[in-house]
Amino acid sequence: MIRRLTPFLVAAVLGGTALAQDAKLKIATVDMQQLFKEYYRTEEAQQQVNVERARIQKELNERQTRVQEIEEELKKLRKMMEDPSINDSKKQEIQRDWGMKQNEGIAIDRERREFQQRRTQALNEKMVQRMKGILEEIRKLVEEQAKKEDYDYVFDKSGLSTSQVPFLLYTKDATDITPTLLVDLNKDAPKDGATTPAATSGEGE
């Protein structure tokens, strides 16, 4: 998730007025990945996603169980059709039942696979939007802190290029504002032992 959203994290540049040539820039760095990972709302979001995934899996298991039950019923019907003691009229009836049962199993299995794809896609989209919202909260806090401390530039030191090389290789006299921001982000975090309300509403089918 964090890697997919890395472009969203790339260095926020603040300030816009031209500086005198001999002016000294006031620069700060921030570790956006650390802020994202250690923000309590990120963990809450992940817990809610895990609850929803477990709910989806439970429903998938129930559908799979029904498919397996039909497979067992089909085996019994096939044995009956192969029984030489059963007359042709009865065998034709059993064959019709077998065909209907087979179609039922195919339909249920197809619905199960469509259900899995639909619900998983919806959950993934929901998670991406939630994480983007959290990242936007963090970005705004970084901007507010930068303005408050009158920084000219704030660079994300966790940002990587497409070749996985850090964008920020060296800064002189830069202040790391990550610890200060972490304190601010987690000031309203639940106390130890407090439970996070789990998502109770399922995604629509």
Side-chain angles (χ1 to χ4, degrees):
M1 170 58 65
I2 297 176
R3 288 182 179 179
R4 291 203 302 270
L5 296 175
T6 296
F8 188 86
L9 306 179
V10 176
V13 180
L14 302 174
T17 58
L19 299 176
Q21 188 173 1
D22 59 346
K24 182 177 181 181
L25 293 175
K26 189 175 181 182
I27 299 174
T29 61
V30 64
D31 190 326
M32 290 292 286
Q33 291 209 38
Q34 182 182 358
L35 292 179
F36 180 80
K37 290 178 180 179
E38 298 184 20
Y39 186 17
Y40 78 96
R41 293 194 63 236
T42 302
E43 178 62 23
E44 286 182 347
Q46 186 60 59
Q47 289 176 4
Q48 291 174 357
V49 167
N50 291 343
V51 168
E52 186 59 30
R53 278 181 177 156
R55 183 183 292 114
I56 293 172
Q57 188 59 52
K58 181 176 182 293
E59 295 184 38
L60 284 172
N61 291 343
E62 291 171 355
R63 286 168 166 78
Q64 182 61 34
T65 297
R66 179 54 187 154
V67 170
Q68 292 172 348
E69 290 173 351
I70 290 176
E71 288 175 350
E72 291 300 318
E73 293 174 15
L74 287 171
K75 288 180 182 179
K76 292 178 182 179
L77 290 172
R78 181 172 290 281
K79 285 184 179 181
M80 293 174 66
M81 285 190 290
E82 295 172 351
D83 188 346
S85 65
I86 297 177
N87 60 48
D88 291 342
S89 177
K90 183 64 175 178
K91 285 184 178 180
Q92 289 178 1
E93 181 181 342
I94 294 172
Q95 189 171 13
R96 287 195 298 271
D97 292 342
W98 187 90
M100 294 174 61
K101 188 65 65 176
Q102 183 187 45
N103 289 336
E104 180 186 356
I106 292 172
I108 291 176
D109 188 55
R110 181 173 60 249
E111 192 278 335
R112 179 189 63 81
R113 287 184 277 107
E114 291 174 351
F115 168 86
Q116 180 178 21
Q117 181 179 5
R118 185 170 61 250
R119 293 288 294 273
T120 300
Q121 182 178 350
L123 181 60
N124 288 342
E125 290 174 357
K126 181 179 179 180
M127 182 177 183
V128 168
Q129 291 304 314
R130 182 72 184 274
M131 295 310 178
K132 281 184 176 179
I134 290 173
L135 285 167
E136 179 61 17
E137 288 182 40
I138 296 173
R139 189 199 66 78
K140 288 181 178 179
L141 186 62
V142 171
E143 184 175 349
E144 291 172 1
Q145 183 69 19
K147 290 178 178 178
K148 179 182 176 181
E149 299 296 332
D150 196 28
Y151 289 109
D152 296 295
Y153 296 96
V154 176
F155 294 100
D156 174 22
K157 65 181 182 180
S158 66
L160 299 177
S161 68
T162 54
S163 58
Q164 299 302 301
V165 176
F167 283 111
L168 189 62
L169 297 177
Y170 172 76
T171 55
K172 181 180 179 181
D173 300 328
T175 303
D176 186 357
I177 59 175
T178 306
T180 300
L181 291 170
L182 269 177
V183 172
D184 200 2
L185 281 171
N186 292 317
K187 64 183 179 182
D188 297 322
K191 297 185 182 300
D192 293 341
T195 56
T196 301
T200 56
S201 59
E203 301 293 334
E205 296 184 24

